[in-house]
Structure formats: C-alpha cells, structure tokens
Amino acid sequence: MKYIKVLVIFPLLSLLIGASISGFIRDKNNGEPLAYTNIILLENDIGTAADVSGYYIFPIVDDGKHTMRIMMIGYKTLEREITVQDINLRIDIELEPTALDFDQVTVSAERMRFEKRVDISRMNLTNREIRRAPAFIEADIFRTLQFLPSVSASNDFNAALIVRGGSPDENLILLDGTEIYNPYHIGGVFSTFNADMISDSEFLAGGFPSKYGGRLSSVLNITAREGDSKNGRLPDSLYIYDVEVDWPWNWNSRKRKNNLKKYWDFSKGSGNISLLSAKFLAEGALYNGSWMISGRRTYFDKFVSLYYDYRDEEEPGNYYFWDTHIKMKTSINQNNQLIYSQFSGKDNLALGLEGLANIDFDWDWGNRTQNLSWRYIPNSNYIVTTRLSKTQYNFDVDFEIDFNPSTGTADTSTTDLSSGSTDLDLFLDNLVEDVDLNQNIKFIITDDISFDAGWQIKNLNLDYKEIFSGQQVTSIQSQPKIYSSFINMTLKTSPLLYINPGIRVSKYNRYDKMLINPTLGIKFNPISDLALKASVGRYSQFLFTVNQENELLRIVDFWQPIPDGEKPQEADHLILGGEYWISTGNTISLETYYKSYSSIYDLNPAPDYANIEETFSLSGTAEAYGVEFLYRFNKNKLSGWVSYAFSNIRRSVDLNSDTILDKDKEIYPAKYDKPHTFNSLLSYQINEKYFLGLSATFGSGQTYTPVIGKVHQGGVRAYGSLENPYSNFGNIYGVRNGARYPNYFRTDISLGRKSKVFGLDGELKFQVINITNHYNVLLYLWDHKASPSKVEAYSMFPIILTFGWEFKI
Amino acid sequence: MKKYHLLLLIILLGCRQELDISEFSFNFSSYVPELRIEALILPHDATAIVRIDKSFLINDTELYDCRDNDFGYISEDSCQTIDGAFWHGDENDMVADCGDWNPFIHDLGSDGIESTDNNSDGDYEDFGDIAPDEDGTENNGIPDCDEPNMDSYTEILPSIHDSTCTVSIIKTSIDGTEDLCSFFFEDAAGYFFNNMYTGDKSNPIFDNIETVTYGAYIPDSNCGEDYWTDYSAEYSFYADCSASGFGIIESEEPITISKPVVFISENDVEDIKSCDDYDCLVSSTSINFQEDSLYFGRYSLDQKIRWASILPDVTFQVVQYMFDRGNNEYKYYHSHAGFSPPEFQFNDVAISEETIVTEFYDGEGNGEWDDEEIYADENENGQWDEGEYFIDTGDTIPEVDTYYYEIFTFSDSYRNYYFHYQLYLDDPERTNLRDEESNPVMGAFGSMTSEKIHFRIIDCTIHGPSDCENTEITKSVCEWNENISLQPCVDYEGPICLPVDFSTEYCE
C-alpha cells in the first residue's frame, strides 16, 4: 500500500514542479558507473553531481534549448545540446577516458563530494587507495581505515574497527546495502572483503544521517564493482557447420549470429597470488547489464596436508578460509533495474591433538548474504530503491576429548567398539539470521531542496546454544523485530549554508516505547574552499556482541538482542569540524566530537543462573570525546594523508550489580582508550613501473588491568579448584584498565613493480611489515610459580616480509 | 576459548620476551599481602573446613626457593631412611636438602620438558625436536627451578597457610539458641589428588595419582556431626587473625546451608515437576541412590544421570570418581561446573543431567617397562635394566568399570565466590567476609552440600547368549542379537550381546 502511494504521489509532485533531466553517467570503455561526475547546464549556470551509482537529476529545467556539459577529470569533457519541452528527459551519457592518472579521477570525485555533501566525518576510499596501502600480506579495507584519525585497532591481530571509542559491534557494515555481522577472517587478522571487488567505500565516523540506523558509532558502506559490460570477448558470430552425409563428405560452413552474446559475455579476468591466498575476479556483460564474480581461498592448508602426507603423519590441525562475491545487474527497461548481490565467506579451523587423550577441535564460521534490489528510475526527479536481503551468520564449535583413544589394541578377545567415540564434548552454536526489507526514496524537489525517506522491516532470528557433555547448558533464542522509518532533508538555505535535518523512528518489539532519533547536520561555506560543519544526533542499537571488552582477537562475534523490556543502547553525538580545500586533492580537516552513551550493554560477570536469559547482560554508560586532525594530499607523485587524534573514553558499569559504582573497578578507561595516535599513509609513484607505499602509526599503548599480587583461589574457570583448592595460583588485580602497554609504533613499506610474467600483464608487490621490528606488546603473562614471579611479554607482528603477484587475463 | 585463540596466535606469530618485574613495580609496590579465607560447611560429611591462606607479593623471594627439600635439611643417612627420598648434597656435605626429586627422571632442565631428537641425527633442528635447555640445567645432576618435583605442594603449602588464627563458626538455631564451634589448625586437614610427573599428565594411571594433604582449620570434636546438618539454622563465621596482623574477620551476614540434590530417573521427571520442596523430591524419586548403583551398557549412547533441585539451586559442581580396585579406593577422575538450563526449570524445580561416558578407563599399567616409558637410567648405559625405576603408563587395556558422581550444591555466598570468577576476589558481591573496618576480605564463607550416585559400566560383548540377558549378571542393560552388523565400528556380522541402547552411531 505504502509503495502504491509513493508511486502515485511522487509522479504527481513532479508534474507540479516541472520538467526534469536525469540519467546515468558511465565509463565508455567498461560501462562502470562514474560516481560524483559534475554536470552543468551552461545557459542556466546550474550544476549537479552524479551519486555513487552514477545517477544524476536536474529537478527543474525550463523549456527550451540547453547545453549540458559533463566533466570528470580523467575523462574527455562532453557537451551535448538538448531540447526540453515540458517533459521529463532521460539522458544516459558515456564519457571517454583520457590518459590521465587514476588519482586525478578520484580527486575530481572528491571535490564534488566536498561541494555537495553535508555529512561530517566522512571518508571515501577507492579500490586503488586500499590496494596501494602497505598491508600485512594482503590489501584490506579495514586495515586502511585504521589509519584514519577516527579509527583505531586494538592490536595487529584484530582488524575490528574501533571508531571514536565505540566497540566494534557499534559499526554498521554494509555491502551493497546488506548488513554483515562478522566481517573477519582468521580471528580478525583480515576483513572478509576482498579489496579487488570494492568499487567505493564510504565511511562515516559519526553524526551520520538518519537513513542509517541500528548502530551507535559509524557506518561503512561498501559498494561492490558492477563489472565491465563493454569489452565482451565472445565472437559476434559463430560458424555453423553442415555436413553432407554422402561420401565424400562436404563440410559447408556458414556464419550465424552468436545469440548467447546478447545475454552473457565475458570481458576480462584478473588474479592475484599472495602468501596468504589465491584470488580471482571475472566480469562481463549481462542482458542489459553486467556481472562480476570474485573469490579467494587460502591455500596454506594444502601445503600443510602435503607436508603431513609426505611424512605419513596425521595433521595436527589446519585452517583455511574462502569468500566469494557475485553481483549481477540488469535493466529490465530504461526505468527499472534489478541488482542481485551475493556474498559468502567461511572459515574453518580444525585441530587434533594426540596424546594419551585425543582432542578434536573443529571450528567453522561464516557469513552468507543475498540481496535483491529493484531500482525504479522514472524519467523524473526521484528514484526509488526497494531492497530485500537476507544475511546469515553462523558459528559452530565442536570440541571433543577421547580419554581412551588407544583402547582395544592389546590382547583381548572382546569386541572393541570404542573407535570414534568420545568421552567429553562441547558444542557451541550461534546463528544470526536477518531478513531485511526496506525502501528508500530519493526526491529532488528543487536544486536547493531534496530529501531521502524510507522504511525498513528487520526480522531477526538469533540462536545461541552451548552443549557440554551431552547436556544443553545454555540456550538463548530470540526473534527480535525492528520497524523503522526515516526522513532526511537537505536544504540549501543560501549559497553558503546547507542544513540537513532528519529523523528516524524505530519500534523494537522487545521494548515498549517508540525510539525517536533526530539528527541535524549543518554545512557552512564562508568561502568556496572552506566547509564548516556541525552534526548532532541520537542513535539507537538493538543488538550487541557479548565479547567486547577484553578480547585480544575477534574470531567470532556472539550477537545477542537487548534483553526483553530493556532500553536499547543509545548514544548522542555532537561533532564540530572544518575542512579546507587547499588545492586539488589537498585538504585539511579538524574535527572535535563528544559522544555520550546513556545505555550500553556488556556481558554480566555475575549473572543469576536461575534467570540467565534476563541477567546475562547488564547496562552501563560511557562517554568519549576527542579531537582529530587530517591532512590529505595529492602532490605530483605523492599522495596520502597524515593524521593525529586525541581521544578519551570512560565507561561506567555496575559490574557486580550492587547499585554502587566503585571508582577503581567500575568507572574505568575503556580497553581501547588511546589518548594520542599519529598516523600516516603515503603512496609515491616513482615512475611508470614502480610505486612505493609507506604507512606509520605511533600512539599510546592500550590499557590493561595490572597484576599487583598473587594468591591461590577457586573459580569455575579453574576447573577442579574445588577438588584441588591449590591448583590455581592466580592474579590479584589492581585498578581496572589502570595501566597501559608501552607506546605502539609500526612502519610498513611496500614496493610495487609493473611487470609481465608468463606473458601476463601484472604487478609484483613486496611488503615489509614493522620494518623497524619495534616490539609492540600484545599482552603480559605472569608465572607465579616462581619467586619472584616471572612475567613474559608477547608481541604483535615482528618484522615480516611478504610478497604477491597480481595479473590480468 | 579465548585462551585457545591466544595460543594459536602465539604459536603462529607471537614473539615472547621475558621481562624484569621491576619494570612493573609502580603497579605492585604498594600492595600489602592479605588473607584469603575459604570457610566451608560440608553437610554431607557432617563437618566443616576453613582454609586461611596468605597472598603474596609479586616480588616475594621465599615461597619458591628452587630447592628440593620435602623432607628438610638433613643428613644423607637420615634421608636414605625415607622411602622415595633423594639427598641433594655432595660427599663433603654433612647435611643437605632431602626431597623427592629423582635425578634419573626429573632432570629435565628449567623448561620442564625432556629434550627430544626425533630422528636421532644428533641435532635438535628437525620438526618436532626439542633442544636441551640453553642454560645447561638439563641433565646437570642437580635439581633446578621448574623441574618436576621441585617446590612441590609438600614444600610450599606450609608457607602458604596462616595457622595462627582463632576460628569459630556460630550456629543460630531456628529457636534462637546460639552454639559456637571452635576450630583448630590441623596440618593434614584436607587432601586432594595430584597427578605426579609422568611425562604426560593428561591421562595418568592410578599409580601416578598422589594424595596431597594440606593444612586447614577443622572443628573441635565437641561440635558433633549434627552441628553441620541443620538446614533451618543460620551460621556465622568468626576468625581472629590478630596474631598475624590481619585482625578480626567475620561473615557479613549469617548463611543457611544448601540442600543436596536428589537423583531421579527419566520416568520421575513429570512427577518431580510439581514439587516445591526437598522432601517432595525425595518422595518422588524412584531411585534409592543412597544404597543402589546404576548400570549402563558399555558403548551405549546418550546415557545420563539426572538430578533435581529446588530453585534457585541451578548451579552445581559435578565431580566423577573412579574405583581403583588395586588400592580399594576411589580416585578423582574429572569435574566441571554444572547448570540446569532455563528450559529444564519448572516452577520450583530444576532438573539437570550429565551424560555418562560409557567406556572403561585405562587406570592401570602393565607393570612392565615398555618402550618410551620414562625410566631411571641408574647405571647410565642408555637402556632400561631390570630393577631400574620407571613410570608405568597406561597399558591400553581399559579396565575401570566402577565410578560415582558427586554433585555439589552451594549456599548463595559460596556460589557467588565460585561462579562470579570475573569479579575481583575482594568484590563485595563475591565475598561475604569483612574485616574490622567492613572492608571485603578475599574468599567466602558458605556451604557445599553433596550427594553421590554410584554406577557401573557393563561390557555386554563379553557375555554369551546364556548370560547376556541374565539380570543378575547384566542388570537389564544387555540384549542378545542373533545377527547384527557392527559396521562401521568393526568389521563383524553375526550374533553378539550388546547394550540395549546400542547404535552404530556410537562410532560415528
């Protein structure tokens, strides 16, 4: 019903307003959309910019002849004469690339964003920027984002994004509009996003508009490439052979049109082999559209298997991961596009420890998302996107111990049936299913007024089970539902001032009250190259992960809904900042923020086991504030950024639920409170063949809770301590997070060389991680069974050399 | 699980560095040692025990002294009169440490791990090789820090205990009368089982499980057994530790002791659900668990013991013991925390279950030295000779068929101490002990009430058709099969006696 209203109301509105011009801007060579292209109507001196999908709209255009100029650095400027006669025009345009450097194209898009976007704390990264950054073995979007002043990492092994003190579960991570719940491989060493398939990634570190909801800290919106629809390699025609049966046989060939080419074609492929994985990406044309498929798989496990086969021994353990991404786009007609996107990723870790007791450990987890989007693009000044998506995140652990693994081999006349059976087992299962239906309408009323509006229905199914020794120890199931709608306006009240008010209203079926989240963004341009911005907003979150505070690695996320009847997590953002466009590609920005969390949830360390479902979590508050400075530059052959961030994050949680906040134990700096961080990320094009990348981070060490004494102690974690009260000589702790590891310092460099190997064009890339071999402490482990006690530090990455080869087919 | 992540990463990528603890002195320099008190009423055994132990400074230099002196600093002659003792002096010494560190099997060096040269090529550089300790402590003939049997429990426990306190537990009966039970310190007040060094501690046979005693306060004999089994009474704890400078420590509030669990059968569950007190549970169960034993067929699937408790008792300690026929005593097998899941909680009753491992345990060695068993090469000829001491490991013949489970319930206070392990030890919600200034004291005063159920695993497959279904012999857990395929367990098809609940899924 809602949709019918939209279909009726919007055309009526647009009729009242007048004629419009709209269409897509694409690359002539490969058909990929050109985001943020600048389009000007010369006679009226009005301009607009294409969105991330290359779509542009002029909402009101007078009748008559106009000249449209389309400009994008890196492409030939195009001018086209058009005549408007009281009808909405649809003009799709293809721009021809010039030989200019890709970086300049990026700069051009960035300038358009600088001029048109009100969003504060925004950063866009392209595929190329991600791939040029030095990285551990493979380029990774999360690792690149961690060089931004608003983002930090807890350690080298954890790619989780900590944005302005928020825990990693507070980030909304979208791939083609679909939410991803556990975007990590190998315990967080890598993200699940293969850098090759990323077209654009927009990161909003706070104060994000109301069209995004359900998270407290940030939004990472990744758009996958659509694929090359232009350079099909299938032949236009095929030879058909007719054979005469009589001897001697005559072969008559004739040409026939290759009908397959109309529906499917292959344009190009590329591959990449690194120390970690082998990757591929293929793309081509589809009926009125394009397709793209990418995938990667680690192969370390294959070498391990070969090694143990050679030694004729059992493998003690193995690990691999894979992920694939498929995207298909087709235009049913000029006004309707269908886009299907699918992402699958899986990790598997298996360990088998042989001894007098056999231990088998099998751990697999993964994400699977499917997303069908329908874009309705009338020849008018609005666009409607309807999206149905399903995300499934699954995590299984099987842990089995066989105390008598070698029974029955001795002299016995009995029938031994014990092979394969186990004595103790632990199974953990966590499932998150999210079926999401949403619709988004973008409507441009005039050049100065536009709005986004939409609604969303989220149907979740969460299931967490622990089965120990055949007994179901924990089972928490829930089916939360979240209904939301939003409206977000952009008003240009004067040439200098943009105002972006918005509101998001949500209903969570486990909480009685309606949640109203207003947002307001303001941009003021006192001069054309200076943008002063402010943003204030309230944000709510309905799910949280229970493994937040003390984790070193993030192998998996245990997602849980906010308990029944409890207020969802809530945070208020206040951000002030300014951005100055020094020159093409050179900007400087300064932002300050204050975030106040009125309710955050954490795992309850002292739950009531007779009422575990309602007491497994507890709420607290937090506040974060900081200042961030970022200088982005693009000078000659050198590009990148340097940044500094100051931040402070304090949490207040009544951990023992006694209603009194203990100042040493319950009001404390967060685990990832890092007062000072300097980052730099540089890329230098030495010549046509070589490029050099350098990244450096220097910052405060992470907090930890110091050990101040030792005593024998009991506790469920030290199994058997009741039977042996002296088995656990454990720590006595001081003030929570009251100490800090030494300062963190790491410099990585990468050197790339274009080359032809085995006849394939490609690029060889060498990288050195932590080139100074700085000892960055991951943790301290105490051994109290010595006088005095001993302490050992375990480090993060030492110096590591990696290399990879990227090739094109 | 988090430890597992950590281990994996450390193996793969981590670099380890031993640090000087003085770098951390700003953290621990102001810490003053405290007491940790575990005061436990044990109704099932009609007694109580109070463990009062000291905490230690990080830079304490006395507790682990890297000497093997279990039996003190005595002469060689005196040492040799002690069974299993070794004297650690040279010929010029009149007296020296006497302990249980055996130079022939425990001289593994400061890493505590025997060096291994898998392919005997003379180097320690191949995969799986373990090099001798770089500090030269391996096979140096003298006891070194961190070698097995060095600074063992026998040596350190006396230094941990505070035996100078005056301890009592006051019982206030339901009629308001107060009784006081005084405690006294006993050097061997309690015991636990410890796995001796065998080169592998994961699955020791009975001979390698030692009983270690520890010192604690136990009730005066005047207190009487009834003193500790009054479920309607309130108990309070009092300790005067002024002699060691810790002053008076008391329980914050009186406690009541927890009721034991009641073992039930699967058929009892429906009746039990409507119970609202312990007496109802007892009258509703069909198992006479205090006298009878349960029986399970070896290799049978999904066999469980079940028990019921009255809410809020939903947390337990589950401990399994196995019968050491040779020494005619039970030995500790394994334990873990237990919970009644929410879907097993009905009105006032919580039901819990534990899956039985329907397999025998290999509790005995074969009494002979086998290849790879650790031995004392007393004549240093590189091989085991008759009469040389060796550590007998499992003989791969599982023989232990008799076990019991002991299920403990906790008083509220002890439950908090045990299960809320993520809170600080002196958190006011974790401990119910307070000093004279009402500051929390590490530990807890509470009760652990237990109930036992014995069971035996019956191997049906050894019985022929005549005995298989004889209830006197196989206790109704076996049945005769005229023709059955045991694939994929074993390549056998034909007649056999099997557990009633047998399924080849057992092998899958």
Side-chain angles (χ1 to χ4, degrees), chain B residues 163-276:
Chain B
S163 57
T164 62
C165 301
T166 305
V167 176
S168 59
I169 290 179
I170 300 111
K171 183 174 89 169
T172 307
S173 301
I174 196 164
D175 60 4
T177 55
E178 277 195 359
D179 289 317
L180 184 143
C181 176
S182 297
F183 283 62
F184 67 94
F185 189 83
E186 165 66 48
D187 287 329
Y191 68 93
F192 57 86
F193 294 107
N194 182 48
N195 298 342
M196 290 192 295
Y197 172 72
T198 62
D200 188 333
K201 287 188 170 185
S202 62
N203 200 39
I205 60 169
F206 290 134
D207 289 349
N208 300 322
I209 299 173
E210 63 173 341
T211 305
V212 179
T213 57
Y214 62 84
Y217 295 84
I218 54 174
D220 191 281
S221 56
N222 298 329
C223 299
E225 292 189 354
D226 295 347
Y227 197 89
W228 307 111
T229 54
D230 188 347
Y231 293 97
S232 60
E234 291 186 329
Y235 294 85
S236 303
F237 174 79
Y238 174 90
D240 182 352
C241 299
S242 302
S244 50
F246 295 104
I248 293 169
I249 295 156
E250 294 178 279
S251 52
E252 188 184 26
E253 289 177 345
I255 63 138
T256 55
I257 59 178
S258 50
K259 290 262 175 75
V261 302
V262 173
F263 291 99
I264 60 171
S265 77
E266 192 174 8
N267 298 331
D268 300 330
V269 171
E270 283 310 311
D271 291 340
I272 293 275
K273 280 181 184 176
S274 57
C275 284
D276 59 4

Side-chain angles (χ1 to χ4, degrees), chain A residues 280-296:
Chain A
F280 74 94
L281 186 144
E283 53 197 311
L286 202 65
Y287 177 76
N288 283 344
S290 60
W291 62 271
M292 186 275 301
I293 180 168
S294 70
R296 66 175 161 172

Side-chain angles (χ1 to χ4, degrees), chain A residues 136 157 189 795-798 800, chain B residues 8-15:
Chain A
F136 176 60
F157 304 118
V189 180
S795 81
M796 302 187 212
F797 288 155
I800 299 171
Chain B
L8 187 70
L9 264 179
I10 287 164
I11 291 167
L12 287 173
L13 298 162
C15 291

Side-chain angles (χ1 to χ4, degrees), chain A residues 9-29:
Chain A
I9 291 167
F10 280 81
L12 285 176
L13 273 172
S14 45
L15 281 174
L16 288 171
I17 291 164
S20 68
I21 306 172
S22 59
F24 283 96
I25 316 283
R26 295 195 179 90
D27 184 310
K28 190 174 183 178
N29 281 2

